[in-house]
Amino acid sequence: MRLRTQLVLLQSAIMLLVILGTGVAAALIQERTLRDAYLDRMIGVAESVAQLPSVLDAYDDPDPSRVIQPLAETLRIASGMTYVVVTDRDGIRFSHPNPDLIGQRVSTEPTTAETGERYVGTQEGTLGVSWRAKVPVLGADGELLGQVSVGILESELRADWLDDIWILALCLAVAAVLGVVLATWAAAVVRRRIHGLEPDEIRSMLEVRDATLHGIGEGLVVLDEHARIALCNDAALRLLGRPGEALAGTPVAEVLDAPVDPLLADPGEQQLVLAGERVLVARADPVVVDGRTVGTVLILRDRTELDAALRDLAGAQGMTETLRAQQHEFANTLHTLGGLLELGETEAAMQVLERAGAGGGALADEQASGVLELEVAALLLAKRAQAREHAIDLLVGEGSHLRPAPGGDAGDWVTVLGNLVDNAIDAAATRVEVQLDDRDGPRGRVVEVRVDDDGEGVPEAERAAIFALEVSTKAHAAGLARGYGLTLVRRVVERLGGEVRVERSPLGGARFVASLPVPAREAASAGSGSGEAR
């Protein structure tokens, strides 16, 4: 059954039930109102007859019916009642619509004439089943003389009720027809609003949409016209650092640490945004339906993971270049030794061997300085190669010392050191120095990273704001975003419970110092691991 048909039938059924219930209630109320109106009339007529002086005087006559019958018939006709019957205490009739029954006892018990109490109810008499009221007739001295019974046939009541009901039924029928028409129109409007789709089609589209949305590796965030989040997939929640949260209705500015107006105003262009400790590449595309823009789709990609992969690759390439350089160096050393031995220069050959034994590879500085964390050592190798391309010397301080990271996870150290070194290489003129200090203090293990450069430095007035988002002392090249690296460094350091600061370097440029506390349990495990390694 089509959706439109279901809607029409359901609405019509509900409407008919309401109309039927209303009609029945109205009919019952009408019937009760009609009975109450007749009851008031019956009691009024009965009491009027019972209090007429001529009727009371007639009880003393030899033939009371001669006076009472004409009066009773006159009042019956005038009031529209079926009968007005006056009796004595024994129930002998003094009036009746059928004169032949005058002088006979009533067909029902004259309880009111016997007890003096009013009676209202339905009884069956000589004229049929009737709705009646009985009142006592009291003399001037209060003596009970008889009763007056006034009633109307139930069939007449029903006829009067039906005369009113057919008008009500006609009105309800018109309302029902009009309701069906309106239900049909409403169903057509609903179907038009859902683009003529059936429920099965809608369910299938939702299932396909959910499967597609949550199966995409990129983060998708759908925004409404007011830049509030209407929908986002699992990848977006992960990238925004809100896994499992319901972000519907949340302004996108609350989950992205970047001005969103320029991003939304420049559709199709990729921009860097920051979400927590993640650097994301965001692109906004408008959603157009029937020529009208109804929202925006925000596509998010994780640049942090890409940068980490590039750092690992650069480290591996740096290690490869170092090994290749060592290979050439040792090959040259062997050739030199061979030549000296052929010439008989034994003493000179021994001097060459002594120099070769002291090392000379690119890893020698890191090993001598005590950098035992391989990821950090590989990063330094990669950054040294990068610095060499810019004609800058990257040196590691002689007293540097760094034990392996707890659990083998040096990601935070690499993030902090990599961003600080990148910043120093961009700012330096010819020289960058890195000092690593790994110490155990009263509060536990703390790793201190110090990076110096001989560039122009950071003006003292700008040092407080240098770690803010999109704040940079370097020029913004076209299409290149600045001011994210130091913000990321500060957030990582603060998450670890440390601090980062900038000051004047002895080299003449800037010195960045970051203190990275290591949790006590992790520090203990790292210490035991390094002990086993030694």
Side-chain angles (χ1 to χ4, degrees), residues 264-282:
L264 300 180
D266 193 9
E269 294 296 328
Q270 294 187 355
Q271 299 185 32
L272 290 182
V273 297
L274 202 61
E277 297 177 6
R278 289 183 180 271
V279 179
L280 306 178
V281 180

Side-chain angles (χ1 to χ4, degrees), residues 78-89:
S79 61
M81 297 292 105
T82 302
Y83 62 85
V84 177
V85 177
V86 182
T87 68
D88 60 10
R89 295 184 60 179

Side-chain angles (χ1 to χ4, degrees), residues 17-38:
L17 286 175
V18 172
I19 289 177
L20 182 60
T22 303
V24 170
L28 293 176
I29 293 173
Q30 179 66 19
E31 194 266 348
R32 174 54 57 190
T33 302
L34 185 63
R35 283 187 175 273
D36 291 343
Y38 271 109

Side-chain angles (χ1 to χ4, degrees), residues 101-141:
L101 298 180
I102 295 175
Q104 297 181 13
R105 195 173 186 276
V106 293
S107 58
T108 58
E109 291 297 324
T111 54
T112 300
E114 297 173 354
T115 63
E117 297 178 356
R118 179 186 296 179
Y119 169 82
V120 176
T122 300
Q123 291 180 330
E124 185 175 0
T126 56
L127 299 178
V129 179
S130 62
W131 172 248
R132 62 185 65 187
K134 299 178 181 180
V135 299
V137 179
L138 301 176
D141 55 358

